[in-house]
Each structure stands twice: as C-alpha cells, then as structure tokens.
Amino acid sequence: MQPDGCWHSQQAAERALKAALVLEGIDFPFTHDLNALRNLLPDSWPVRADLAELTGWAVQARYPGEWPEPSVADAIRAESEARAVHNAVEAEFRCRGLYAGLK
C-alpha cells in the first residue's frame, strides 16, 4: 500500500499546484516536478516548502528501475507534505472567496 500512498500524495500536491496556476492564469509545462510548478506561482502564494522528495514518488511509481520499497514512514511523510500543499492552496482560494468546501 505504501507505494500507492506515496504516488497518490504526489498526485494530490501536483493537482493542487496546477489548480493554483490555473487560477493565476499561468501556463505550466507538462511536468511532475513540484518545485518547478511551485516556482511558477507568485511569491504571495503560501506554498514554499521544498517538494523534491514528494516529486520523486511520481517517477518511482511510473518508471521501471531499482527503486527502494517505500516504508510506512515514507507514506506518512508524503501524505503530510501533500496535505500541507493542499492546505496552503486551499487557504489562498478561501482568501479570494473561491472555496465553498464540500457539503
């Protein structure tokens, strides 16, 4: 389950960043590099953490190679990092009055 959890965490963070870029009207390249996507956002966005480790899970899940098996701790850390990205993006959407939440 950990490899899937790590991959889904990366995907959640990627989707949140891309939603922020769409909101800002910023074109973005086809990439899974979360730091590259984050760096396209204006400095006013609260997403500033280093996302290199989380980015790695996109590569390991998609491409064959001699990757180490993710641990439970890896999955927990990935989920935490993805949640922080999502929460930061959500907070900015809320500040702009653009987030109604789930009902």
Side-chain angles (χ1 to χ4, degrees), residues 3-85:
D4 289 344
C6 293
W7 180 75
H8 286 294
S9 293
Q10 185 282 333
Q11 288 289 285
E14 183 177 328
R15 298 295 184 263
L17 290 170
K18 288 180 177 178
L21 291 166
V22 168
L23 177 64
E24 289 289 347
I26 298 171
D27 291 331
F28 50 88
F30 179 76
T31 184
H32 302 295
D33 184 335
L34 301 179
N35 283 329
L37 294 170
R38 182 209 58 221
N39 291 342
L40 293 172
L41 287 170
D43 290 338
S44 62
W45 278 81
V47 182
R48 291 290 144 216
D50 182 9
L51 302 171
E53 183 177 354
L54 193 54
T55 293
W57 296 117
V59 174
Q60 292 184 28
R62 285 191 175 96
Y63 304 105
E66 296 294 321
W67 309 110
E69 186 69 22
S71 67
V72 171
D74 290 330
I76 291 169
R77 190 168 48 255
E79 187 273 338
S80 177
E81 291 171 4
R83 187 173 300 278
V85 170

